[in-house]
Amino acid sequence: MTALEKATGDVVLKFEPFVLHVLCQELQDAQLLHSVAIDSGFRNSGITIGRGGKIMMAVRSTHCLEVPLSHKGKLMVSEEYIEFLIHVANRKMEENA
């Protein structure tokens, strides 16, 4: 709260979820891993193929959180709400594990 009170610009609480990048030898390996990731609840997972033919599988969850707290130095939310957001972010961190 002390840091927020001293802020002069915009402050955002941001939580980004787990991401695992796996370099795959074959497209069918990436497709199998993609299916497993999706079935396990990692809905933002995907496959990319680079110019050089590198096949990359990214396992990503949807547990993100981004909430503005202050704007131009003015706190826009209550301390109680910030405590609630911290609880939510910590729960998401536990889900990452």
Side-chain angles (χ1 to χ4, degrees):
M1 289 307 298
T2 303
L4 281 173
E5 291 167 1
K6 293 179 182 178
T8 57
D10 295 353
V11 176
V12 175
L13 174 69
K14 186 172 185 177
F15 173 83
E16 294 189 2
F18 165 82
V19 178
L20 172 67
H21 290 100
V22 180
L23 183 61
C24 300
Q25 287 186 333
E26 303 290 332
L27 182 57
Q28 64 195 33
D29 298 330
Q31 290 170 327
L32 176 61
L33 182 56
H34 183 260
S35 294
V36 170
I38 296 295
D39 291 345
S40 297
F42 295 96
R43 293 182 211 104
N44 282 349
S45 299
I47 300 169
T48 57
I49 301 174
R51 290 185 195 148
K54 270 205 286 191
I55 303 166
M56 186 68 68
M57 168 56 204
V59 180
R60 293 187 210 112
S61 71
T62 58
H63 300 104
C64 56
L65 177 68
E66 187 169 353
V67 183
L69 301 177
S70 71
H71 179 64
K72 296 182 181 177
K74 181 182 178 196
L75 189 61
M76 305 301 288
V77 297
S78 69
E79 184 174 349
E80 180 182 3
Y81 185 65
I82 292 170
E83 289 173 10
F84 168 74
L85 289 174
I86 291 169
H87 176 74
V88 170
N90 285 338
R91 195 167 358 115
K92 289 177 180 292
M93 180 65 84
E94 290 171 9
E95 290 174 18
N96 269 334

